[in-house]
Amino acid sequence: MSAPRLSVIIPTRNCLEWLPRAMASALAVPVDGLEVIIVDDGSTDGTAAFLATAEANGLPIRVLRRTGGEGAAAARNAGLAVARAPVVGFLDADDIWQPDRIAERLAWHKAHPETALSFGEYETLYADNRREPRLIGYMPRFAAAVAPPDEPWTGDIGWLGAGGAGLVYGENPVCTSVVLASRAAVEAVGAFDVSLGQAEDWDLWIRLALHGPVAYAPRPQGLHMHRADSLSSEVRAGCLAVATVLDRYAGAIRARDAGAWRCGRAFVAEARAELAEEEGRRLAHLGWQARAWFWQPSRRRWRSCLRAAVHAVVPRGAVRLVARAA
């Protein structure tokens, strides 16, 4: 059997409602030599039976079954351990690829094998089937880099250039489900860090961006499913993971790009502000929002500071009355 050109890794746990369409979008990529690896991380919703039927019916997938429920990072690592293609793609079980655009980016990797990481735009898909483009306005530094007056792209994809690692570090513009990566580069820098609990995908993208060139596709590459809001405990874990990742690479990034380092400080301040708001600590929420504005001023962050200031000084009951009136 000849080696595949693209290995697609789809981790899943109790996502049977969405998994078939994710699989279909991966299998529709028009490329010879496609390897689709489904990692079932201990599902209890009938996923195992569905995948067994799919295999029995000759669907060209490879299924890995795990019983531990150890999370998406461990499941992706299991897929990486058996992947055979020089390029690996990551697709969550509730997300959808745009097959033709993934194929275009795969062609880029073939023409530029030095590419460590490539990613592209995406749209958010809500439960009511409403679509929303990614709000690049929330990432002013990245937006300025990818949309200058003299458009730098060749066709539908281009290099982020020498500042690629800083852009990935500073505002985390990468959606996991639109990533393609060099398998050799992943082997060189190491797989997903399961000890982080969250933000382990961003951690890997930074390592890859520090290792080699990064490419970006400005057209949407897929749909990212918006699910229910996180619990407070998950917000706390996410905040701590973000802070860990930012501190881990601060020295390497600051030496390359001081602006990206400041941007990262603003990013972690916003994460801490989100946690403080979730926990009802109003003054702390205001303090962290103000720090975010200090590290990277923007109109959006200034508005967030004003909102936090109002919430900090207005009695809780009045805030609820104002919200109802609005």
Side-chain angles (χ1 to χ4, degrees):
M1 181 184 297
S2 60
R5 289 180 54 197
L6 173 64
S7 294
V8 188
I9 299 171
I10 305 177
T12 186
R13 179 173 170 83
N14 294 334
C15 279
L16 185 56
E17 180 178 354
W18 302 283
L19 177 60
R21 69 181 185 186
M23 287 170 48
S25 73
L27 290 166
V29 175
V31 59
D32 293 330
L34 183 67
E35 177 180 58
V36 177
I37 303 168
I38 317 291
V39 187
D40 181 9
D41 194 32
S43 295
T44 58
D45 64 347
T47 292
F50 165 76
L51 291 174
T53 300
E55 287 182 296
N57 289 337
L59 205 63
I61 59 175
R62 182 175 182 183
V63 179
L64 302 182
R65 293 181 174 84
R66 298 165 60 84
T67 58
E70 298 170 271
R76 293 189 188 107
N77 285 346
L80 281 169
V82 301
R84 297 181 297 129
V87 178
V88 292
F90 301 97
L91 176 62
D92 286 350
D94 52 359
D95 293 343
I96 307 169
W97 268 357
Q98 295 208 20
D100 289 344
R101 293 183 183 171
I102 296 297
E104 290 169 1
R105 203 142 41 90
L106 181 62
W108 170 276
H109 276 262
K110 183 177 180 180
H112 304 279
E114 71 276 22
T115 306
L117 168 73
S118 77
F119 66 99
E121 286 297 322
Y122 59 90
E123 294 178 295
T124 300
L125 178 66
Y126 292 88
D128 59 1
N129 287 322
R130 178 170 48 93
R131 296 187 184 190
E132 183 178 85
R134 185 180 64 150
L135 299 178
I136 201 170
Y138 280 79
M139 303 175 184
R141 199 166 186 272
F142 183 77
V146 301
D150 52 337
E151 192 77 11
W153 311 116
T154 301
D156 295 319
I157 190 167
W159 297 115
L160 288 185
L167 292 171
V168 172
Y169 173 92
E171 291 170 315
N172 187 18
V174 186
C175 174
T176 298
S177 283
V178 293
V179 162
L180 298 183
S182 160
R183 184 163 62 90
V186 173
E187 290 173 350
V189 303
F192 294 94
D193 182 354
V194 297
S195 70
L196 285 170
Q198 293 191 42
E200 67 281 342
D201 47 357
W202 179 39
D203 174 80
L204 178 54
W205 313 149
I206 295 172
R207 278 184 276 138
L208 287 169
L210 288 168
H211 178 77
V214 180
Y216 164 76
R219 293 200 300 167
Q221 307 287 301
L223 298 174
H224 173 62
M225 182 71 179
H226 180 271
R227 306 275 298 272
D229 292 335
S230 298
L231 300 173
S232 177
S233 60
E234 293 173 339
V235 173
R236 171 174 288 278
C239 176
L240 294 175
V242 165
T244 298
V245 172
L246 285 165
D247 289 343
R248 180 177 287 179
Y249 305 106
I253 294 296
R254 193 173 190 180
R256 293 181 176 213
D257 186 344
W261 177 80
R262 290 179 64 87
C263 191
R265 294 300 94 195
F267 188 12
V268 75
E270 282 193 314
R272 293 189 182 280
E274 180 185 0
L275 175 61
E277 182 178 32
E278 186 79 14
E279 295 178 344
R281 296 181 289 115
R282 294 182 169 198
L283 288 177
H285 177 220
L286 173 59
W288 284 115
Q289 287 287 8
R291 286 180 177 89
W293 178 85
F294 170 79
W295 284 115
Q296 190 190 40
S298 72
R299 186 175 301 176
R300 177 181 66 82
R301 288 195 171 111
W302 178 245
R303 289 197 299 266
S304 295
C305 284
L306 290 178
R307 183 176 66 86
V310 170
H311 279 228
V313 301
V314 176
R316 293 176 188 270
V319 171
R320 285 195 292 271
L321 287 174
V322 170
R324 283 191 199 130

